[in-house]
């Protein structure tokens, strides 16, 4: 990761010991306000990053494909694939590192389409999860809200019924 962020607002890192064993767990979340030379490059990680773009524009390379994260979009990246993301001029985004025993199956059910970036107008999901982490809420509550966030993104894509996610976690 480059050190080209103007600020790390609400930057929170709480490693819940059980986050990797929960259905969906969050161990890191916050908000970046980045300059144009910001970037992160990673591969083969045991988590996914959910990125909600507040303003500006980000460029995300996942595998061989390039995607653009613009205002009011949700990007789901990470896992075993190589990914690189960078600011295109300036980029302000909120992020959640998502883990858990069902994270692979649920995320793959969502991003098994042609895109990893979805329209997403409900910023409240991110704020709620960040607040839950700040307040050290119960992991089951955080898991439920993470599931609700992914489910809402899934429905916005209108690509499949809820049953596909339910099958993924069984």
């Amino acid at each position: 990761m480059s050190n080209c962020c103007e600020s790390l607002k609400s930057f929170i890192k709480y490693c819940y010991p059980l986050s990797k064993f929960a259905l969906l767990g969050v161990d890191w979340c916050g908000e970046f306000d980045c300059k144009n030379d910001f970037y992160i490059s990673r591969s083969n990680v045991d988590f996914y990053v959910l990125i909600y773009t507040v303003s500006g524009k980000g460029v995300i390379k996942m595998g061989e494909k390039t995607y653009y994260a613009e205002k009011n979009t949700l990007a789901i990246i990470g896992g075993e694939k190589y990914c690189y993301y960078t600011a295109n001029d300036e980029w302000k985004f909120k992020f959640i590192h998502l883990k858990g025993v069902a994270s692979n199956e649920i995320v793959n059910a969502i991003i098994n389409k042609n895109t990893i970036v979805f329209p997403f107008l409900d910023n409240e999901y991110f704020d709620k999860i960040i607040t839950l982490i700040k307040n050290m809420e119960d992991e089951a509550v955080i898991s439920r809200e993470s599931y609700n966030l992914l489910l809402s993104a899934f429905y916005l894509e209108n690509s499949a019924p809820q049953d596909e996610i339910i099958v993924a976690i069984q």
Side-chain angles (χ1 to χ4, degrees), residues 75-145:
I76 304 173
I77 61 175
E80 297 176 2
K81 294 182 180 177
Y82 168 79
C83 66
Y84 173 90
Y85 46 108
T86 185
N88 186 1
D89 195 19
E90 293 184 5
W91 188 23
K92 182 176 181 179
F93 63 90
K94 297 177 182 182
F95 70 93
I96 296 172
H97 281 210
L98 187 67
K99 289 184 170 190
V101 295
S103 62
N104 285 341
E105 291 79 10
I106 292 173
V107 170
N108 287 334
I110 294 170
I111 65 172
N112 192 12
K113 314 299 180 247
N114 293 325
T115 188
I116 61 166
V117 179
F118 307 93
F120 194 76
L121 300 175
D122 200 346
N123 180 27
E124 292 178 21
Y125 279 109
F126 271 79
D127 292 339
K128 186 171 187 177
I129 292 171
I130 288 171
T131 300
L132 290 171
I133 295 288
K134 278 183 185 178
N135 294 337
M136 301 288 289
E137 290 290 335
D138 184 87
E139 290 175 79
V141 174
I142 295 167
S143 181
R144 181 192 67 224
E145 293 306 321

Side-chain angles (χ1 to χ4, degrees), residues 18 21 31 40 93 101 107 113 123 150 157 165:
L18 299 177
F21 300 110
E31 186 175 315
I40 292 179
F93 63 90
V101 295
V107 170
K113 314 299 180 247
N123 180 27
L150 288 172
E157 183 63 10
I165 289 183

